[in-house]
Every structure is written in C-alpha cells, then in structure tokens.
Amino acid sequence: MKNDRGLLIVLSGPSGVGKGTVRKAFMQDESDIQYSISVTTRDPREGEVNGVDYFFKTKEEFERMIENNKLLEYAQYVGNYYGTPVDYVKETLEKGKDVLLEIEVQGAMQVRKHFPEGVFIFLMPPSLSELRKRITNRGTETEDLIDNRMHIAKEEIELMDEYDYVVENDQVELACERIHSIITAEHLRRDRVAVKYKKLLEVQK
Amino acid sequence: MKNDRGLLIVLSGPSGVGKGTVRKAFMQDESDIQYSISVTTRDPREGEVNGVDYFFKTKEEFERMIENNKLLEYAQYVGNYYGTPVDYVKETLEKGKDVLLEIEVQGAMQVRKHFPEGVFIFLMPPSLSELRKRITNRGTETEDLIDNRMHIAKEEIELMDEYDYVVENDQVELACERIHSIITAEHLRRDRVAVKYKKLLEVQK
C-alpha cells in the first residue's frame, strides 16, 4: 500500500507538551518510519545521547551548517539553535520510506514551505495548567524561564491553524495511537494512491 | 475528542467489491457510529432481514419517497432502486453521532453535493479478476448479468477521483482496520477541532 515516495511527518507543538516523550514511545514499535535526528546547540539533558536523541553541536558548527545550506529548517529557541539536516530527510523519502521530524513550531513553518504535502501534526496539551505543570516538573528551568516558556507556548498554540491535525497529549499511549491512525489514513488518501490503482487496472485491460 | 456535529462517512465502491460484508464486519464492534439503513426495491438475498440489512419496499412505495423528498440520494441499479432516507441521517448527525452510509457509486456522488464535508471512502478490489470471482461466487446472477456488472464496475472505478480515501478490500479485517484509522484521523483534523481547542484556551486566560 506504500507510494513510491515516503511521507514526511512533522510532529510539533508548544514547548513542554511532551513532543520528545511521544516521539520516543511512538518510534519504539515502528520500523516503517525513519526518525530524523535533529541538531542542537543546547546542553544534553540527563540520559540524552549524542546521535540518538540529538546531534549535539557547538554554536560555530551549527552556524557553518546554516551557511552551507545543510539544514531543512532551524530555529533559535530560548537561546539555543535547533535544526534538521536536509540531506538525510530527502534521501530517505526518495527511498520510499516515511520520515518523522520532531521539531519546534517555528521550524515546522519553514518545513511547510519546502514540503507542503507533508503531514503536519500539532501536539496539544490537555490544558494550560497541565502544560505549566509539565514544564515545571522537567526541573531544568528557573521560575523566570518557566514564565517565559509559558508565554511562548501560548503564542505557539496560536499557530495551530497551520497544521493538518491536532493530537491531544493527555496520555502518551493514546497520543501514539492517534498518530498511527493519522499516518495510516494519509497513506490511503485518494490523491496519493489513485495513480497506482489506475495503473493496476490499465495492466489488466 | 468529538465535535458538536457527527461525521458523515460514506462507504462505496464498485458492484461486487464487498461493501456489505465490510460494512457488517465494521459495524459489529462499533457503537460510536450509526449505520443508516438503505431502502431498496430489489429482492432480499438469502439471510437478509427487512429493517436490518435494508428496508425492502415496492417500486410504488419507493417512488412516493422520491416525490416527497424523503431520500438523501437514490439510484437505479441493474433494474432496482436503492436510496437513503434523509431525515434519519440529519437527525443523527445533529445529535453529534457519526453516520455510516454504505451505498452505490451513483448515490455517493449525490450525497457529496449535499455533504461536501463528508468522508468518502472508495472500497477497491485487489484486482479485476478477483472482482469477477466475487460477483460470480455470489451465485445470484446469470453470466449476462455478471458481464454487465463487470462493465459497470469498471466505469465505477473511474469515479474513484471523487473520493477522499481508497481502501483495498483484500481482507475484510484489514479493510475494517483501515476504515477505523480513517475515521479516527478525520476526527483529529485541525479544521474540525481548532475551534474547540481555542475555546478551551480562552476560558483559561
């Protein structure tokens, strides 16, 4: 049921909604989709591994990638750079494999310009109070940074209109199931598969 | 995660593809979706029950429904009428419940005019030879009728372009899973849910 070209799936949403957690849980039993590892200049959090969670780079290394057009998108966020290496994404899609990006909202808007046919999923917190709790529980931020993140998060939620789907992250497992359904459905969209079926009938005439 | 208004889901496809079989299997463990029973003037097949599989009507009764605008769609197909009672569909959608129609391709095109926002699913045979086998195995048709149905079916497949999704009916169980994913994904579409989420944030400000 696959097309010739893979689907680009973009998972984004406001700071603190749990994008990383959902993405990890989702990819755990998913061999048909390739996760595209992002590049960042922020410090690794506890347990994060270079080349698995992110490629951790210096500011200078990151800026060289920008200059050499090696990034599909990048954004500065709370003082750090985040970006997606472009070559890997394009090569994987051309092989016919789906690619999942887990990126910040600013970056998602840049990707939309290059891949309007991508599947853009906005991960939504059940409420703003729950979002604040999650940002606070992360324990890596000061009170000022938390206020700052909440302010940014509210602005990010306004960008929901640029997305194709909204998935509530009330429970990680349920969010993963919803994302699975979206990807299955997108592979069945008539505009993606009609050509294949018509060829099939042509051969049989 | 439900909207105020239910989704109208239209399951259609060429004659003999197995619409009835898939619909029955699909509805068996589905309490959130209401199946809209069609009206027909054709004779009941073995095991079919009036008011469960169809409302079986005389030609005169059917034509009175047409005159009184009681049908959302109707079609003549291999000498018989098939139609969908309109009031039931509208009332159920307004209660916020999804409605599933299982109808012929001609009828689906009429429903599209009244419900452009409906979810139109085209059930596809794995191949034309498999389709012929299924029509033949049904055992209710003569060889001439089978040829006639195959001819119509090929024309019907050309109408695939009017649909939102194409689901291959290779195995009934797999087809049902795909339909489930489509309906889940459709409920998560941003244009259907954004208003609800924005209201949620408004309240919390």
Side-chain angles (χ1 to χ4, degrees), chain B residues 15 76-82 106 141 145 148-149 152:
Chain B
S15 164
Q76 255 187 320
Y77 186 78
V78 198
N80 291 301
Y81 278 124
Y82 295 79
Q106 292 173 54
E141 324 284 359
L145 267 179
N148 187 23
R149 276 188 186 266
I152 295 172

Side-chain angles (χ1 to χ4, degrees), chain A:
Chain A
M1 292 298 301
K2 284 289 169 96
N3 309 295
D4 300 335
R5 214 176 134 81
L7 286 184
L8 181 67
I9 303 141
V10 177
L11 181 66
S12 190
S15 164
V17 71
K19 292 188 289 292
T21 308
V22 169
R23 182 259 303 167
K24 272 181 215 162
F26 180 79
M27 289 304 299
Q28 214 143 38
D29 41 29
E30 187 50 76
S31 59
D32 287 342
I33 301 173
Q34 187 64 52
Y35 171 59
S36 162
I37 301 165
S38 295
V39 189
T40 185
T41 59
R42 79 150 163 75
D43 293 331
R45 296 201 192 110
E46 208 184 311
E48 285 185 339
V49 177
N50 188 34
V52 175
D53 298 287
Y54 283 96
F55 295 112
F56 295 100
K57 302 270 181 190
T58 63
K59 203 181 164 205
E60 291 67 34
E61 288 171 324
F62 198 101
E63 287 174 346
R64 212 172 307 133
M65 292 185 81
I66 299 174
E67 279 166 36
N68 296 331
N69 289 319
K70 290 293 182 197
L71 296 172
L72 173 59
E73 56 82 29
Y74 70 95
Q76 257 188 318
Y77 186 78
V78 198
N80 291 301
Y81 278 124
Y82 295 79
T84 301
V86 67
D87 294 344
Y88 184 73
V89 170
K90 287 194 171 165
E91 285 161 16
T92 310
L93 291 176
E94 267 152 35
K95 278 183 205 151
K97 193 156 185 166
D98 296 349
V99 175
L100 178 77
L101 305 184
E102 176 231 316
I103 56 180
E104 302 299 328
V105 170
Q106 294 174 52
M109 296 302 91
Q110 295 174 51
V111 177
R112 184 61 118 177
K113 280 176 207 149
H114 296 285
F115 291 91
E117 77 285 10
V119 180
F120 288 73
I121 303 173
F122 192 85
L123 205 60
M124 183 72 186
S127 66
L128 287 182
S129 56
E130 175 61 27
L131 182 64
R132 191 175 182 93
K133 212 190 288 175
R134 289 182 193 180
I135 292 176
T136 309
N137 286 349
R138 190 180 273 175
T140 52
E141 323 285 357
T142 65
E143 196 66 25
D144 268 6
L145 268 179
I146 290 168
D147 283 342
N148 186 23
R149 276 189 187 267
M150 280 302 292
H151 178 73
I152 294 171
K154 283 177 204 167
E155 286 181 351
E156 287 172 333
I157 290 170
E158 299 291 322
L159 293 173
M160 183 194 289
D161 288 342
E162 306 291 328
Y163 287 73
D164 301 307
Y165 297 96
V166 182
V167 166
E168 194 171 319
N169 185 21
D170 45 356
Q171 290 179 47
V172 171
E173 208 175 302
L174 292 177
C176 288
E177 281 175 24
R178 291 171 194 139
I179 296 169
H180 270 293
S181 289
I182 289 169
I183 295 170
T184 300
E186 282 286 328
H187 275 288
L188 301 172
R189 273 181 49 185
R190 187 259 313 153
D191 50 1
R192 296 197 203 273
V193 296
V195 172
K196 186 190 71 174
Y197 284 115
K198 287 191 176 168
K199 267 189 198 150
L200 190 80
L201 295 179
E202 214 55 50
V203 169
Q204 298 176 344
K205 267 179 191 169

Side-chain angles (χ1 to χ4, degrees), chain B residues 56-72:
Chain B
F56 295 101
K57 302 269 181 192
T58 65
K59 202 181 164 206
E60 292 67 35
E61 288 171 323
F62 198 101
E63 289 173 345
R64 212 172 307 133
M65 290 185 82
I66 298 174
E67 279 166 35
N68 296 331
N69 290 317
K70 290 294 184 197
L71 296 172
L72 172 59

